Amino acid sequence: MNPGEVDAKVDVAKKEAETAVENAKSASDKADQLAAKYDDTNVLANQALDKAVSAQSDASAAVATANSTASEFGK
């Protein structure tokens, strides 16, 4: 191999390495975006769970009040 061929192969290898680095950066950015979406979804799910627990508590209190009221009528 002559020096010109070696330089050409080195240039090709450099370009391939640069492309690989750019692809890795792009994949990392996409992973970061997906992670952010997951975090947002997780927060919304937790908020919905909190509301469901609160609604269950309210329903239990309403049942207790209804039972108490019915008991008073029974007297």
Side-chain angles (χ1 to χ4, degrees), residues 44-70:
L44 292 174
N46 283 331
Q47 288 173 351
L49 178 61
D50 290 345
K51 287 181 181 179
V53 169
S54 177
Q56 182 182 15
S57 176
D58 291 347
S60 293
V63 167
T65 300
N67 285 337
S68 176
T69 301

Side-chain angles (χ1 to χ4, degrees), residues 1-48:
M1 224 182 252
N2 66 41
E5 291 173 332
V6 171
D7 287 343
K9 289 196 180 232
V10 168
D11 286 343
V12 167
K14 277 184 178 179
K15 287 179 183 173
E16 288 175 354
E18 289 170 358
T19 299
V21 168
E22 289 302 316
N23 288 341
K25 285 180 183 176
S26 177
S28 177
D29 289 345
K30 287 179 183 176
D32 289 344
Q33 290 170 0
L34 287 173
K37 286 181 183 178
Y38 169 78
D39 288 344
D40 291 345
T41 301
N42 195 32
V43 166
L44 292 174
N46 283 331
Q47 288 173 351

